[in-house]
Coordinates of all heavy atoms in Angstrom, one line a residue:
M19 N -67.6 -35.2 36.0 CA -66.6 -34.5 35.4 C -65.3 -34.6 36.2 O -65.4 -34.3 37.4 CB -67.0 -33.1 35.1 CG -66.0 -32.3 34.4 SD -66.7 -30.7 33.9 CE -65.3 -29.8 33.9
A20 N -64.2 -35.0 35.7 CA -63.0 -35.1 36.4 C -62.3 -33.8 36.6 O -62.4 -32.9 35.7 CB -62.1 -36.1 35.7
T21 N -61.7 -33.6 37.7 CA -61.0 -32.3 37.9 C -59.5 -32.6 37.9 O -59.0 -33.7 38.3 CB -61.3 -31.6 39.2 OG1 -61.1 -32.5 40.3 CG2 -62.8 -31.3 39.2
L22 N -58.7 -31.6 37.5 CA -57.3 -31.8 37.4 C -56.7 -31.1 38.7 O -56.9 -29.9 39.0 CB -56.7 -31.0 36.2 CG -55.2 -31.0 36.0 CD1 -54.7 -32.4 35.8 CD2 -54.8 -30.2 34.8
I23 N -55.9 -31.9 39.5 CA -55.3 -31.4 40.7 C -53.8 -31.1 40.3 O -53.1 -32.0 39.9 CB -55.4 -32.4 41.8 CG1 -56.9 -32.7 42.1 CG2 -54.6 -31.9 43.0 CD1 -57.1 -33.8 43.1
I24 N -53.5 -29.9 40.5 CA -52.1 -29.5 40.1 C -51.3 -29.2 41.4 O -51.7 -28.4 42.2 CB -52.2 -28.2 39.3 CG1 -53.0 -28.4 38.0 CG2 -50.8 -27.7 38.9 CD1 -53.4 -27.2 37.3
E25 N -50.2 -30.0 41.5 CA -49.3 -29.8 42.6 C -48.3 -28.7 42.2 O -47.8 -28.7 41.1 CB -48.6 -31.1 42.9 CG -49.5 -32.2 43.4 CD -48.8 -33.5 43.7 OE1 -47.6 -33.5 43.8 OE2 -49.5 -34.5 43.9
G26 N -47.9 -27.9 43.2 CA -46.9 -26.8 42.9 C -47.6 -25.8 42.0 O -47.0 -25.4 41.0
E27 N -48.7 -25.3 42.4 CA -49.5 -24.3 41.6 C -48.7 -23.1 41.3 O -48.8 -22.5 40.2 CB -50.7 -23.9 42.4 CG -51.6 -22.9 41.7 CD -52.5 -23.6 40.7 OE1 -52.8 -24.7 40.8 OE2 -52.9 -22.9 39.7
E28 N -47.7 -22.7 42.1 CA -47.0 -21.4 41.9 C -46.0 -21.6 40.7 O -45.7 -20.6 40.0 CB -46.2 -21.0 43.1 CG -45.1 -22.0 43.5 CD -45.6 -23.2 44.4 OE1 -46.7 -23.2 44.8 OE2 -44.8 -24.1 44.6
N29 N -45.7 -22.8 40.3 CA -44.8 -23.0 39.1 C -45.5 -23.4 37.9 O -44.9 -23.7 36.9 CB -43.7 -24.0 39.5 CG -42.8 -23.5 40.6 OD1 -42.6 -22.3 40.7 ND2 -42.2 -24.5 41.3
F30 N -46.8 -23.4 37.9 CA -47.6 -23.9 36.8 C -48.2 -22.8 36.0 O -48.7 -21.8 36.5 CB -48.8 -24.7 37.4 CG -49.6 -25.5 36.3 CD1 -49.1 -26.7 35.9 CD2 -50.7 -25.0 35.8 CE1 -49.8 -27.4 34.9 CE2 -51.4 -25.7 34.8 CZ -50.9 -26.9 34.4
N31 N -48.0 -22.9 34.7 CA -48.5 -21.9 33.7 C -49.7 -22.4 33.0 O -49.7 -23.5 32.4 CB -47.4 -21.5 32.7 CG -46.2 -20.9 33.3 OD1 -46.3 -20.2 34.2 ND2 -45.1 -21.3 32.7
H32 N -50.9 -21.8 33.2 CA -52.1 -22.2 32.6 C -52.2 -22.0 31.1 O -52.7 -22.8 30.3 CB -53.3 -21.6 33.3 CG -53.5 -22.1 34.7 ND1 -54.1 -23.3 35.0 CD2 -53.0 -21.6 35.8 CE1 -54.0 -23.5 36.3 NE2 -53.4 -22.4 36.8
I33 N -51.6 -20.9 30.6 CA -51.5 -20.6 29.2 C -50.0 -20.2 28.9 O -49.4 -19.4 29.5 CB -52.4 -19.4 28.9 CG1 -53.9 -19.8 29.1 CG2 -52.2 -19.0 27.4 CD1 -54.8 -18.6 28.9
I34 N -49.5 -20.9 27.9 CA -48.1 -20.7 27.4 C -48.2 -20.1 26.0 O -48.8 -20.7 25.1 CB -47.3 -22.0 27.5 CG1 -47.4 -22.6 28.9 CG2 -45.9 -21.8 27.1 CD1 -47.9 -24.0 28.9
R35 N -47.5 -19.0 25.8 CA -47.4 -18.4 24.5 C -46.1 -18.9 23.8 O -45.0 -18.6 24.2 CB -47.4 -16.9 24.6 CG -47.4 -16.1 23.4 CD -48.8 -16.1 22.8 NE -48.8 -15.3 21.6 CZ -49.8 -15.3 20.7 NH1 -50.8 -16.1 20.9 NH2 -49.8 -14.5 19.7
V36 N -46.3 -19.7 22.7 CA -45.2 -20.2 22.0 C -45.4 -20.1 20.5 O -46.5 -20.5 20.0 CB -45.0 -21.7 22.3 CG1 -43.9 -22.4 21.5 CG2 -44.7 -21.9 23.8
L37 N -44.5 -19.5 19.8 CA -44.6 -19.4 18.3 C -45.9 -18.8 17.9 O -46.6 -19.4 17.0 CB -44.3 -20.7 17.6 CG -42.9 -21.3 17.9 CD1 -42.9 -22.7 17.3 CD2 -41.9 -20.4 17.2
N38 N -46.3 -17.7 18.5 CA -47.6 -17.0 18.2 C -48.8 -17.9 18.4 O -49.8 -17.7 17.7 CB -47.6 -16.5 16.8 CG -46.6 -15.4 16.6 OD1 -46.3 -14.6 17.5 ND2 -46.0 -15.2 15.4
T39 N -48.7 -18.8 19.3 CA -49.8 -19.7 19.6 C -50.0 -19.8 21.1 O -49.0 -20.0 21.8 CB -49.6 -21.1 19.0 OG1 -49.3 -21.0 17.6 CG2 -50.8 -22.0 19.2
N40 N -51.2 -19.8 21.6 CA -51.5 -20.1 23.0 C -51.6 -21.6 23.2 O -52.5 -22.2 22.6 CB -52.7 -19.4 23.5 CG -52.6 -17.9 23.5 OD1 -51.5 -17.4 23.7 ND2 -53.7 -17.2 23.3
L41 N -50.8 -22.1 24.1 CA -50.9 -23.5 24.5 C -51.6 -23.7 25.8 O -51.4 -22.9 26.7 CB -49.5 -24.2 24.5 CG -48.6 -24.1 23.3 CD1 -47.3 -24.8 23.6 CD2 -49.3 -24.6 22.1
N42 N -52.5 -24.7 25.9 CA -53.2 -25.0 27.1 C -52.3 -25.7 28.1 O -51.8 -26.8 27.7 CB -54.4 -25.8 26.8 CG -55.3 -26.1 28.0 OD1 -55.0 -25.6 29.1 ND2 -56.4 -26.7 27.8
G43 N -52.0 -25.1 29.2 CA -51.1 -25.7 30.2 C -51.6 -26.9 30.8 O -50.8 -27.7 31.4
K44 N -52.9 -27.2 30.8 CA -53.5 -28.3 31.5 C -53.4 -29.6 30.6 O -53.5 -30.7 31.2 CB -55.0 -28.0 31.8 CG -55.1 -26.9 32.8 CD -56.6 -26.6 33.0 CE -56.8 -25.4 33.9 NZ -58.2 -25.1 34.0
Q45 N -53.1 -29.4 29.3 CA -53.0 -30.6 28.5 C -51.6 -31.2 28.6 O -50.7 -30.6 29.0 CB -53.2 -30.2 27.0 CG -54.6 -29.9 26.6 CD -54.7 -29.7 25.1 OE1 -53.8 -29.1 24.5 NE2 -55.9 -30.0 24.6
K46 N -51.5 -32.5 28.3 CA -50.2 -33.1 28.2 C -49.4 -32.5 27.1 O -50.0 -32.0 26.1 CB -50.3 -34.6 28.0 CG -51.0 -35.3 29.2 CD -50.8 -36.8 29.2 CE -51.4 -37.3 30.5 NZ -51.1 -38.7 30.6
V47 N -48.1 -32.4 27.3 CA -47.2 -31.7 26.4 C -47.4 -32.1 24.9 O -47.5 -31.2 24.0 CB -45.8 -31.8 26.8 CG1 -44.9 -31.0 25.9 CG2 -45.6 -31.5 28.2
M48 N -47.5 -33.4 24.7 CA -47.5 -33.8 23.3 C -48.8 -33.3 22.6 O -48.7 -32.9 21.4 CB -47.6 -35.4 23.3 CG -47.5 -35.9 21.9 SD -47.4 -37.7 22.0 CE -48.7 -38.1 20.8
F49 N -49.9 -33.3 23.3 CA -51.1 -32.8 22.7 C -51.2 -31.3 22.7 O -51.9 -30.7 21.8 CB -52.3 -33.4 23.4 CG -52.3 -34.9 23.2 CD1 -52.0 -35.7 24.3 CD2 -52.6 -35.5 22.0 CE1 -52.0 -37.1 24.2 CE2 -52.6 -36.9 21.9 CZ -52.3 -37.7 22.9
A50 N -50.6 -30.6 23.6 CA -50.6 -29.2 23.6 C -49.8 -28.6 22.5 O -50.2 -27.6 21.9 CB -50.1 -28.6 24.9
L51 N -48.8 -29.3 22.1 CA -47.9 -28.8 21.0 C -48.7 -28.9 19.6 O -48.3 -28.2 18.7 CB -46.6 -29.5 20.9 CG -45.6 -29.2 22.0 CD1 -44.4 -30.1 21.8 CD2 -45.2 -27.8 22.0
T52 N -49.7 -29.7 19.5 CA -50.4 -29.8 18.3 C -51.2 -28.6 17.9 O -51.7 -28.4 16.8 CB -51.3 -31.1 18.2 OG1 -52.3 -30.9 19.3 CG2 -50.5 -32.3 18.4
A53 N -51.3 -27.7 18.9 CA -52.0 -26.4 18.6 C -51.2 -25.5 17.7 O -51.7 -24.6 17.0 CB -52.4 -25.7 19.9
I54 N -49.9 -25.7 17.6 CA -49.0 -24.9 16.8 C -49.2 -25.4 15.3 O -49.3 -26.6 15.0 CB -47.5 -25.1 17.2 CG1 -47.3 -24.7 18.6 CG2 -46.6 -24.4 16.2 CD1 -45.9 -25.0 19.1
K55 N -49.4 -24.5 14.4 CA -49.6 -24.8 13.0 C -48.5 -25.6 12.4 O -47.3 -25.2 12.6 CB -49.8 -23.5 12.2 CG -50.2 -23.8 10.8 CD -50.5 -22.5 10.0 CE -50.9 -22.9 8.6 NZ -51.3 -21.7 7.9
G56 N -48.8 -26.7 11.8 CA -47.7 -27.5 11.2 C -47.2 -28.6 12.1 O -46.3 -29.4 11.7
V57 N -47.6 -28.6 13.4 CA -47.1 -29.6 14.3 C -48.3 -30.6 14.6 O -49.3 -30.2 15.2 CB -46.6 -29.0 15.6 CG1 -46.1 -30.1 16.6 CG2 -45.4 -28.0 15.3
G58 N -48.1 -31.8 14.2 CA -49.1 -32.9 14.5 C -48.6 -33.7 15.7 O -47.6 -33.5 16.3
R59 N -49.3 -34.8 15.9 CA -49.0 -35.7 17.0 C -47.7 -36.4 16.8 O -46.9 -36.6 17.8 CB -50.1 -36.7 17.3 CG -51.3 -36.1 17.9 CD -52.4 -37.1 18.2 NE -52.8 -37.7 16.9 CZ -53.8 -38.6 16.8 NH1 -54.5 -38.9 17.9 NH2 -54.1 -39.1 15.7
R60 N -47.4 -36.8 15.6 CA -46.2 -37.6 15.3 C -44.9 -36.7 15.5 O -43.9 -37.1 16.1 CB -46.2 -38.2 13.9 CG -47.3 -39.2 13.8 CD -47.3 -39.8 12.4 NE -46.5 -41.0 12.4 CZ -46.1 -41.7 11.4 NH1 -46.4 -41.2 10.2 NH2 -45.5 -42.8 11.5
I61 N -44.9 -35.5 14.9 CA -43.8 -34.7 15.0 C -43.7 -34.1 16.5 O -42.6 -33.9 17.0 CB -43.8 -33.5 14.0 CG1 -42.4 -32.9 13.9 CG2 -44.8 -32.5 14.3 CD1 -42.1 -32.3 12.6
S62 N -44.8 -33.9 17.1 CA -44.7 -33.5 18.5 C -44.1 -34.5 19.4 O -43.2 -34.2 20.3 CB -46.2 -33.2 19.0 OG -46.2 -32.9 20.4
N63 N -44.4 -35.8 19.2 CA -43.8 -36.9 19.9 C -42.3 -36.9 19.7 O -41.5 -37.1 20.6 CB -44.5 -38.2 19.5 CG -44.1 -39.4 20.3 OD1 -43.1 -39.3 21.0 ND2 -44.8 -40.4 20.1
L64 N -41.9 -36.8 18.4 CA -40.5 -36.9 18.1 C -39.7 -35.7 18.7 O -38.6 -35.8 19.2 CB -40.3 -36.9 16.6 CG -38.9 -37.3 16.1 CD1 -38.4 -38.6 16.7 CD2 -38.9 -37.4 14.6
V65 N -40.3 -34.5 18.6 CA -39.7 -33.3 19.2 C -39.4 -33.4 20.7 O -38.3 -33.1 21.2 CB -40.5 -32.0 18.9 CG1 -40.1 -30.9 19.8 CG2 -40.4 -31.6 17.4
L66 N -40.4 -34.0 21.4 CA -40.2 -34.1 22.8 C -39.2 -35.2 23.2 O -38.5 -35.1 24.2 CB -41.6 -34.5 23.5 CG -42.6 -33.3 23.4 CD1 -43.9 -33.8 23.9 CD2 -42.1 -32.2 24.2
K67 N -39.1 -36.2 22.3 CA -38.1 -37.3 22.6 C -36.7 -36.7 22.3 O -35.8 -37.0 23.0 CB -38.4 -38.5 21.7 CG -39.5 -39.3 22.1 CD -39.7 -40.5 21.3 CE -40.9 -41.3 21.8 NZ -41.2 -42.5 20.9
R68 N -36.6 -35.9 21.3 CA -35.3 -35.2 21.0 C -34.9 -34.3 22.1 O -33.7 -34.1 22.4 CB -35.3 -34.5 19.7 CG -35.5 -35.3 18.5 CD -34.2 -36.1 18.2 NE -34.3 -36.7 16.9 CZ -34.6 -38.0 16.6 NH1 -34.8 -38.8 17.7 NH2 -34.6 -38.5 15.4
A69 N -35.9 -33.6 22.8 CA -35.6 -32.7 23.9 C -35.5 -33.4 25.2 O -35.3 -32.7 26.2 CB -36.7 -31.6 23.9
N70 N -35.7 -34.7 25.3 CA -35.6 -35.5 26.5 C -36.6 -35.0 27.5 O -36.3 -34.8 28.7 CB -34.2 -35.5 27.1 CG -33.2 -36.2 26.2 OD1 -33.6 -37.2 25.6 ND2 -32.0 -35.7 26.2
I71 N -37.9 -34.8 27.1 CA -39.0 -34.4 28.0 C -40.0 -35.5 28.0 O -40.3 -36.1 27.0 CB -39.6 -33.1 27.4 CG1 -38.6 -32.0 27.4 CG2 -40.9 -32.8 28.2 CD1 -39.1 -30.7 26.8
D72 N -40.4 -35.8 29.2 CA -41.4 -36.9 29.5 C -42.7 -36.5 28.8 O -43.2 -35.4 28.9 CB -41.6 -37.1 31.0 CG -42.5 -38.3 31.3 OD1 -42.7 -39.1 30.4 OD2 -43.1 -38.3 32.4
L73 N -43.3 -37.5 28.1 CA -44.5 -37.2 27.3 C -45.7 -37.1 28.2 O -46.8 -36.6 27.8 CB -44.7 -38.4 26.3 CG -43.7 -38.5 25.2 CD1 -44.0 -39.8 24.4 CD2 -43.6 -37.3 24.4
N74 N -45.6 -37.6 29.5 CA -46.8 -37.6 30.4 C -46.9 -36.3 31.2 O -47.8 -36.2 32.0 CB -46.7 -38.8 31.3 CG -46.9 -40.1 30.5 OD1 -47.7 -40.2 29.6 ND2 -46.1 -41.1 30.9
R75 N -45.9 -35.4 31.1 CA -46.0 -34.2 31.8 C -47.0 -33.2 31.2 O -47.3 -33.3 30.0 CB -44.6 -33.5 31.8 CG -43.6 -34.3 32.7 CD -42.3 -33.6 32.7 NE -42.3 -32.3 33.2 CZ -41.2 -31.5 33.1 NH1 -40.2 -31.8 32.5 NH2 -41.3 -30.3 33.6
R76 N -47.5 -32.3 32.0 CA -48.4 -31.3 31.5 C -47.6 -30.2 30.9 O -46.5 -29.9 31.3 CB -49.3 -30.8 32.6 CG -50.1 -31.8 33.3 CD -51.3 -32.2 32.5 NE -52.0 -33.3 33.1 CZ -53.0 -33.9 32.6 NH1 -53.5 -33.5 31.5 NH2 -53.5 -34.9 33.2
A77 N -48.2 -29.5 30.0 CA -47.4 -28.4 29.3 C -47.1 -27.2 30.3 O -46.1 -26.6 30.2 CB -48.3 -27.8 28.1
G78 N -48.0 -27.0 31.3 CA -47.8 -26.0 32.2 C -46.6 -26.3 33.2 O -46.2 -25.4 33.9
E79 N -46.2 -27.5 33.3 CA -45.1 -27.9 34.2 C -43.7 -27.7 33.6 O -42.8 -27.8 34.3 CB -45.3 -29.4 34.6 CG -46.6 -29.7 35.3 CD -46.7 -31.2 35.5 OE1 -46.0 -32.0 34.9 OE2 -47.7 -31.5 36.3
L80 N -43.6 -27.4 32.3 CA -42.3 -27.2 31.7 C -41.6 -25.9 32.1 O -42.3 -24.9 32.3 CB -42.5 -27.2 30.2 CG -43.0 -28.5 29.5 CD1 -43.0 -28.3 28.0 CD2 -42.1 -29.7 29.9
T81 N -40.3 -26.0 32.3 CA -39.5 -24.8 32.6 C -39.3 -24.0 31.4 O -39.5 -24.5 30.3 CB -38.2 -25.2 33.3 OG1 -37.4 -26.0 32.3 CG2 -38.4 -26.1 34.5
E82 N -38.8 -22.8 31.6 CA -38.4 -21.9 30.4 C -37.4 -22.6 29.6 O -37.4 -22.5 28.3 CB -37.9 -20.6 30.9 CG -39.0 -19.7 31.4 CD -39.9 -19.2 30.3 OE1 -39.3 -18.9 29.2 OE2 -41.1 -19.0 30.5
E83 N -36.4 -23.2 30.2 CA -35.3 -23.9 29.4 C -35.8 -25.0 28.5 O -35.4 -25.2 27.4 CB -34.2 -24.4 30.3 CG -33.5 -23.3 31.1 CD -34.2 -22.9 32.3 OE1 -35.0 -23.7 32.9 OE2 -33.9 -21.8 32.8
E84 N -36.8 -25.8 29.1 CA -37.3 -26.9 28.3 C -38.2 -26.4 27.1 O -38.1 -26.9 26.0 CB -38.2 -27.8 29.2 CG -37.4 -28.6 30.2 CD -38.2 -29.3 31.2 OE1 -39.3 -28.8 31.6 OE2 -37.8 -30.3 31.7
M85 N -38.9 -25.3 27.4 CA -39.7 -24.7 26.3 C -38.9 -24.1 25.2 O -39.2 -24.2 24.0 CB -40.7 -23.7 26.9 CG -41.9 -24.2 27.5 SD -42.8 -25.5 26.6 CE -43.4 -24.5 25.2
E86 N -37.8 -23.5 25.6 CA -36.8 -22.9 24.6 C -36.2 -24.0 23.8 O -36.1 -23.9 22.5 CB -35.7 -22.1 25.3 CG -36.2 -20.8 25.8 CD -36.7 -19.9 24.7 OE1 -36.1 -19.8 23.6 OE2 -37.7 -19.2 24.9
K87 N -35.9 -25.2 24.4 CA -35.4 -26.3 23.6 C -36.4 -26.8 22.6 O -36.1 -27.2 21.5 CB -34.9 -27.4 24.6 CG -34.1 -28.5 23.9 CD -33.4 -29.3 24.9 CE -32.5 -30.3 24.2 NZ -31.7 -31.1 25.1
V88 N -37.7 -26.9 23.1 CA -38.7 -27.4 22.2 C -38.9 -26.5 21.0 O -39.0 -26.9 19.9 CB -40.0 -27.6 23.0 CG1 -41.2 -27.8 22.1 CG2 -39.9 -28.7 24.0
V89 N -38.9 -25.1 21.3 CA -39.1 -24.2 20.2 C -37.9 -24.2 19.2 O -38.2 -24.2 18.0 CB -39.2 -22.7 20.8 CG1 -39.1 -21.7 19.8 CG2 -40.5 -22.6 21.6
T90 N -36.7 -24.4 19.7 CA -35.6 -24.5 18.7 C -35.7 -25.7 17.9 O -35.3 -25.7 16.7 CB -34.2 -24.4 19.4 OG1 -34.2 -25.5 20.4 CG2 -34.0 -23.1 20.1
I91 N -36.1 -26.8 18.4 CA -36.3 -28.1 17.7 C -37.4 -27.9 16.6 O -37.2 -28.4 15.5 CB -36.5 -29.3 18.6 CG1 -35.3 -29.5 19.4 CG2 -36.8 -30.5 17.8 CD1 -35.4 -30.6 20.5
V92 N -38.5 -27.3 17.0 CA -39.6 -27.1 16.1 C -39.2 -26.2 14.9 O -39.6 -26.4 13.8 CB -40.9 -26.6 16.8 CG1 -41.9 -26.1 15.8 CG2 -41.4 -27.6 17.7
Q93 N -38.4 -25.1 15.3 CA -38.0 -24.2 14.2 C -36.9 -24.8 13.3 O -36.8 -24.4 12.1 CB -37.5 -22.9 14.9 CG -38.6 -22.1 15.5 CD -38.1 -20.8 16.2 OE1 -36.9 -20.8 16.6 NE2 -38.9 -19.8 16.3
N94 N -36.0 -25.6 13.8 CA -34.9 -26.2 13.0 C -34.9 -27.7 13.1 O -34.0 -28.3 13.7 CB -33.6 -25.7 13.5 CG -33.5 -24.2 13.5 OD1 -33.9 -23.6 12.5 ND2 -33.1 -23.6 14.6
P95 N -35.9 -28.4 12.6 CA -36.0 -29.9 12.8 C -34.9 -30.6 12.1 O -34.5 -31.7 12.6 CB -37.4 -30.2 12.2 CG -37.7 -29.1 11.2 CD -37.0 -27.9 11.8
S96 N -34.3 -30.2 11.0 CA -33.3 -30.9 10.3 C -32.0 -31.0 11.1 O -31.2 -31.9 11.0 CB -33.0 -30.4 9.0 OG -32.6 -29.0 9.1
K97 N -31.8 -30.0 12.0 CA -30.6 -30.0 12.8 C -30.6 -31.0 13.9 O -29.6 -31.4 14.5 CB -30.3 -28.6 13.4 CG -30.0 -27.6 12.4 CD -29.7 -26.2 13.0 CE -29.3 -25.2 12.0 NZ -29.1 -23.9 12.6
Y98 N -31.8 -31.5 14.2 CA -32.0 -32.5 15.3 C -32.4 -33.8 14.8 O -33.1 -34.6 15.5 CB -33.0 -31.9 16.3 CG -32.6 -30.7 17.1 CD1 -32.8 -29.4 16.6 CD2 -31.8 -30.8 18.2 CE1 -32.4 -28.3 17.3 CE2 -31.4 -29.7 18.9 CZ -31.6 -28.5 18.4 OH -31.2 -27.4 19.1
D99 N -32.0 -34.1 13.6 CA -32.2 -35.5 13.0 C -33.6 -35.9 12.9 O -34.0 -37.1 13.0 CB -31.4 -36.5 13.8 CG -29.9 -36.3 13.7 OD1 -29.4 -35.7 12.7 OD2 -29.2 -36.6 14.7
I100 N -34.5 -34.9 12.6 CA -35.9 -35.3 12.3 C -36.0 -35.5 10.8 O -35.5 -34.6 10.0 CB -36.9 -34.2 12.8 CG1 -36.8 -34.1 14.3 CG2 -38.3 -34.4 12.2 CD1 -37.7 -33.1 14.9
P101 N -36.4 -36.7 10.3 CA -36.4 -37.0 8.9 C -37.2 -36.0 8.1 O -38.2 -35.5 8.5 CB -37.0 -38.4 8.8 CG -37.4 -38.7 10.2 CD -37.0 -37.7 11.1
Q102 N -36.8 -35.8 6.8 CA -37.4 -34.8 5.9 C -38.8 -35.3 5.6 O -39.7 -34.5 5.4 CB -36.6 -34.7 4.6 CG -35.3 -33.9 4.8 CD -35.6 -32.5 5.1 OE1 -36.5 -31.9 4.6 NE2 -34.7 -31.9 6.0
W103 N -39.1 -36.6 5.5 CA -40.4 -37.1 5.1 C -41.5 -36.7 6.2 O -42.6 -36.8 5.9 CB -40.4 -38.6 4.8 CG -39.9 -39.4 6.0 CD1 -38.7 -39.8 6.2 CD2 -40.7 -39.9 7.0 NE1 -38.6 -40.6 7.3 CE2 -39.9 -40.7 7.9 CE3 -42.1 -39.8 7.4 CZ2 -40.3 -41.3 9.0 CZ3 -42.5 -40.5 8.5 CH2 -41.7 -41.2 9.3
L104 N -41.0 -36.4 7.4 CA -42.0 -36.1 8.5 C -42.4 -34.7 8.4 O -43.4 -34.3 9.0 CB -41.3 -36.5 9.8 CG -42.2 -36.6 11.0 CD1 -43.3 -37.7 10.8 CD2 -41.4 -37.0 12.2
L105 N -41.7 -33.8 7.7 CA -42.1 -32.4 7.7 C -43.2 -32.2 6.7 O -43.4 -32.9 5.7 CB -40.8 -31.6 7.3 CG -39.6 -31.8 8.2 CD1 -38.5 -31.0 7.7 CD2 -39.9 -31.5 9.6
N106 N -44.0 -31.1 7.0 CA -45.1 -30.8 6.1 C -44.7 -30.3 4.7 O -45.3 -30.7 3.7 CB -46.0 -29.7 6.8 CG -46.8 -30.3 7.9 OD1 -47.0 -31.5 8.0 ND2 -47.3 -29.4 8.7
R107 N -43.8 -29.4 4.7 CA -43.4 -28.8 3.4 C -42.0 -29.4 3.0 O -41.0 -29.0 3.4 CB -43.2 -27.3 3.5 CG -43.0 -26.7 2.2 CD -43.0 -25.2 2.4 NE -42.7 -24.6 1.1 CZ -42.4 -23.3 0.9 NH1 -42.4 -22.5 2.0 NH2 -42.1 -22.8 -0.2
K108 N -42.1 -30.4 2.1 CA -40.9 -31.1 1.7 C -40.1 -30.4 0.7 O -38.9 -30.3 0.9 CB -41.3 -32.5 1.1 CG -42.0 -33.4 2.1 CD -42.3 -34.7 1.5 CE -43.2 -35.5 2.4 NZ -43.7 -36.7 1.8
W109 N -40.7 -29.8 -0.3 CA -39.9 -29.2 -1.4 C -40.5 -27.8 -1.6 O -41.7 -27.6 -1.7 CB -40.0 -30.0 -2.6 CG -39.5 -31.4 -2.5 CD1 -40.3 -32.5 -2.4 CD2 -38.2 -31.8 -2.2 NE1 -39.5 -33.6 -2.2 CE2 -38.2 -33.2 -2.1 CE3 -37.0 -31.2 -2.1 CZ2 -37.1 -33.9 -1.9 CZ3 -35.8 -31.9 -1.9 CH2 -35.9 -33.3 -1.8
D110 N -39.6 -26.8 -1.8 CA -40.0 -25.5 -2.1 C -40.2 -25.4 -3.6 O -39.4 -25.8 -4.4 CB -38.8 -24.5 -1.8 CG -39.2 -23.1 -1.9 OD1 -40.5 -22.8 -2.0 OD2 -38.4 -22.2 -1.8
P111 N -41.4 -24.9 -4.1 CA -41.7 -24.9 -5.5 C -40.8 -24.0 -6.3 O -40.7 -24.2 -7.5 CB -43.2 -24.5 -5.5 CG -43.4 -23.8 -4.2 CD -42.5 -24.4 -3.3
V112 N -40.2 -23.0 -5.7 CA -39.3 -22.1 -6.4 C -38.0 -22.7 -6.8 O -37.6 -22.7 -7.9 CB -39.2 -20.7 -5.6 CG1 -38.2 -19.8 -6.4 CG2 -40.5 -20.1 -5.4
D113 N -37.3 -23.1 -5.7 CA -35.9 -23.6 -6.0 C -35.8 -25.1 -5.9 O -34.7 -25.7 -6.2 CB -34.9 -22.9 -5.1 CG -35.2 -23.1 -3.6 OD1 -36.1 -23.9 -3.3 OD2 -34.5 -22.5 -2.8
G114 N -36.8 -25.9 -5.5 CA -36.8 -27.3 -5.4 C -36.0 -27.9 -4.2 O -35.8 -29.0 -4.1
E115 N -35.5 -27.0 -3.3 CA -34.8 -27.4 -2.2 C -35.7 -27.8 -1.0 O -36.8 -27.3 -0.9 CB -33.8 -26.3 -1.7 CG -32.7 -26.1 -2.7 CD -31.8 -27.2 -2.9 OE1 -31.4 -27.9 -1.9 OE2 -31.4 -27.5 -4.0
S116 N -35.3 -28.6 -0.1 CA -36.0 -29.0 1.0 C -35.9 -27.8 2.1 O -34.8 -27.3 2.3 CB -35.5 -30.3 1.6 OG -36.2 -30.6 2.8
S117 N -37.0 -27.5 2.7 CA -37.0 -26.3 3.6 C -36.9 -26.8 5.0 O -37.1 -27.8 5.4 CB -38.2 -25.5 3.4 OG -39.4 -26.2 3.6

């Protein structure tokens, strides 16, 4: 069994609470974000690219500012040029508008 060696343990968060979801800080950021409902690997990859965050970093290594940027992009994907076809809910059944 391989062990994870974490440098700078004092700045590392093992559990991150984001959008009512606990993220595993030991996982790479792209895969940790998939724990959030509605966020898969493809949209997670695109969100991190829009936020200029390296995909090979661990989730626990992110700073508060980087996590806030990720949260704002996940909450408002259309403002950051994420295509509508990539979102889970394309059309609202009540008014027919894209959400």
Side-chain angles (χ1 to χ4, degrees):
M19 185 170 149
T21 58
L22 177 65
I23 300 173
I24 302 167
E25 296 179 13
E27 180 80 27
E28 64 278 350
N29 295 332
F30 191 83
N31 297 323
H32 292 277
I33 297 175
I34 303 125
R35 185 78 174 165
V36 175
L37 298 172
N38 293 330
T39 306
N40 291 332
L41 302 182
N42 186 357
K44 295 177 186 176
Q45 286 184 328
K46 293 197 177 186
V47 182
M48 184 175 132
F49 298 107
L51 288 179
T52 59
I54 300 171
K55 185 175 180 178
V57 177
R59 289 183 298 188
R60 295 181 98 191
I61 196 157
S62 174
N63 187 344
L64 192 56
V65 164
L66 293 173
K67 287 180 180 179
R68 295 288 192 258
N70 294 326
I71 296 174
D72 184 21
L73 299 174
N74 293 319
R75 290 177 62 191
R76 303 282 173 186
E79 297 173 351
L80 295 181
T81 63
E82 282 291 324
E83 296 82 23
E84 290 172 330
M85 283 308 295
E86 286 298 320
K87 190 166 188 178
V88 167
V89 168
T90 56
I91 295 173
V92 168
Q93 288 178 337
N94 304 311
S96 59
K97 292 183 181 177
Y98 292 92
D99 297 327
I100 293 179
Q102 288 293 324
W103 58 266
L104 196 57
L105 304 178
N106 283 342
R107 185 175 179 192
K108 297 179 187 173
W109 304 107
D110 189 13
V112 176
D113 58 7
E115 292 295 319
S116 181
S117 57

